[in-house]
């Protein structure tokens, strides 16, 4: 998610939707090998226009595909933990006035 935001900030507005749709395809593949192939196609297509973006992606490539090391059932939750963490923060914030965890249960 953070990578996508960084990409959006560094590309022209006219290209954002195309780039984001293509980048999302990487996370929709069934295996790490397929995802790497899609990622390298992405590099080839956009390197000429956005070499600085592609260079940054190449540096973090192992981290981009690490979630493929986990079972398919939990990949989506790994990929989308940011929204889950935001929900937890919103729920916990109003309860910050409670001094202990036991006082939350009362």
């Amino acid at each position: 998610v953070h990578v996508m935001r960084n990409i959006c900030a560094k590309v022209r507005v006219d290209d954002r939707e195309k780039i984001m749709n293509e980048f999302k395809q990487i996370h929709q593949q069934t295996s790490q090998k397929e995802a790497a192939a899609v990622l390298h196609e992405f590099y080839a297509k956009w390197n000429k226009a956005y070499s600085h973006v592609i260079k940054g992606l190449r540096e973090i490539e192992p981290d981009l595909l690490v979630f493929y090391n986990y079972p398919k059932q939990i990949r989506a939750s790994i990929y989308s933990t940011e929204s889950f963490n935001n929900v937890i923060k919103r729920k916990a914030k109003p309860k910050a006035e409670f001094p202990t965890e036991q006082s939350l249960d009362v």
Side-chain angles (χ1 to χ4, degrees), residues 41-68:
E41 288 174 19
F42 181 86
Y43 291 162
K45 181 174 181 178
W46 295 105
N47 190 44
K48 187 174 181 180
Y50 299 109
S51 60
H52 59 288
V53 172
I54 301 303
K55 181 182 176 194
L57 289 174
R58 286 184 192 273
E59 290 173 1
I60 62 167
E61 184 173 336
D63 296 331
L64 285 175
L65 304 177
V66 75
F67 72 98
Y68 280 102

Side-chain angles (χ1 to χ4, degrees), residues 16-30:
R16 281 185 188 160
E17 186 175 355
K18 288 184 265 184
I19 288 176
M20 289 300 97
N21 287 336
E22 290 181 27
F23 192 77
K24 287 176 189 175
Q25 296 299 314
I26 296 163
H27 295 96
Q28 296 173 351
Q29 301 306 308
T30 56

